[in-house]
Amino acid sequence: MNGFKTFCALWLVPLLLLTGCQPKAAPGWSGYVEGDYVYVSSALGGTLSQLNVRTGDQATQDMPLFALEAESEQAARLEADARLARANAQLANTAKGKRSDEIAVIQAQISQASAQARLTAAELAREEQLVRQGFVSAARRDELRAAQAQSSARLDELAAQLRVARLPARVDEQAAAVADTDAARQSLRQLAWREAQKARTAPAGGLVTDTFFRVGEWVQAGQPVLALLPPGNVKARFFVPEGVVGRLQMGAAVNIVCDGCAASIPAKISFILFPAVDVS
């Protein structure tokens, strides 16, 4: 939404009288009416796909005014939504250990290694007895001792693997996953904002004084699509004699009358700038 002030009168008034509440005859001065238009635009460019109002319509606040084609922005937002879901899943995964099936494989390997270690220990016990009796050489006993040491080392290795498999990811990996999730969330937020810019609603209620495009035309970013005139943005400007300006006060009640008006219009002085006076 871009707001610009225009000094072109909304309509020409042959005679406007400004009257104060004084016992003497009320003075009157000529003036004209002007308005501060609200020019509604989009921060992004695109083809105008919808125009929900026409010149002369009365718009209410938050009423849909127009929409630009937004297929690209919608696709980008959906992609960002999927990336955020993936980042959240990765973050949740860092808080867990390995999958139950992977842990079961390690446990099976431990059971196998334990059985092998028991078998080696039994063979070593028999060989040591035979060595003492002189039936076999010491070399066979030493070979079995080495095998038993190897089995014990294998069991220790598998036990360590099982402990690691049950641990969550390291702190730095978890921090990286948190950062990735936040980045995906902010990207989704940005793309959702871009998509929202393609459909604009009325920032305030007012008269649609003009529309500048037709459906199917290309609208540049920041280029107004229509102009609104809220009732509170209408004011009358009068030029008063120098000797009167000093007696006027901000907020003073006045009446505005004009040829063709059914009744006088109550107003208050809102701005005084020599020699002009604004009332609203």
Side-chain angles (χ1 to χ4, degrees), residues 105-166:
V105 170
I106 298 176
Q107 290 173 332
Q109 291 174 339
I110 290 176
S111 297
Q112 182 181 6
S114 296
Q116 182 64 38
R118 289 193 298 270
L119 178 61
T120 302
E123 289 182 359
L124 177 61
R126 288 195 301 269
E127 290 296 326
E128 286 181 340
Q129 185 175 1
L130 292 175
V131 169
R132 288 193 298 269
Q133 295 174 354
F135 292 112
V136 296
S137 66
R140 173 60 179 166
R141 179 194 60 189
D142 294 340
E143 180 181 348
L144 288 174
R145 284 178 177 176
Q148 185 184 35
Q150 184 178 9
S151 296
S152 297
R154 176 60 175 165
L155 278 173
D156 292 341
E157 177 188 2
L158 291 172
Q161 288 183 9
L162 182 60
R163 288 194 300 272
V164 171
R166 287 171 172 165

Side-chain angles (χ1 to χ4, degrees), residues 10 68 86 101 112 133 146 156 158 160 165 210 235:
L10 295 180
L68 304 180
R86 180 174 181 271
D101 289 344
Q112 182 181 6
Q133 295 174 354
D156 292 341
L158 291 172
D210 204 354
K235 58 179 175 287

Side-chain angles (χ1 to χ4, degrees), residues 22-145:
Q22 300 179 13
K24 295 182 180 181
W29 301 283
S30 297
Y32 61 92
V33 175
E34 67 179 23
D36 291 331
Y37 295 97
V38 177
Y39 293 91
V40 186
S41 64
S42 169
L44 305 175
T47 302
L48 185 64
S49 60
Q50 292 181 15
L51 184 60
N52 303 319
V53 293
R54 296 182 298 178
T55 301
D57 287 350
Q58 284 289 341
T60 57
Q61 187 170 3
D62 297 327
M63 171 183 174
L65 296 178
F66 67 87
L68 304 180
E69 181 275 325
E71 183 176 353
S72 176
E73 286 75 16
Q74 291 170 354
R77 179 185 56 78
L78 291 174
E79 180 185 359
D81 194 28
R83 286 201 301 268
L84 177 59
R86 180 174 181 271
N88 281 327
Q90 289 177 335
L91 176 59
N93 189 55
T94 60
K96 304 174 184 177
K98 288 184 177 294
R99 293 174 298 180
S100 59
D101 289 344
E102 294 175 310
I103 292 177
V105 170
I106 298 176
Q107 290 173 332
Q109 291 174 339
I110 290 176
S111 297
Q112 182 181 6
S114 296
Q116 182 64 38
R118 289 193 298 270
L119 178 61
T120 302
E123 289 182 359
L124 177 61
R126 288 195 301 269
E127 290 296 326
E128 286 181 340
Q129 185 175 1
L130 292 175
V131 169
R132 288 193 298 269
Q133 295 174 354
F135 292 112
V136 296
S137 66
R140 173 60 179 166
R141 179 194 60 189
D142 294 340
E143 180 181 348
L144 288 174
R145 284 178 177 176

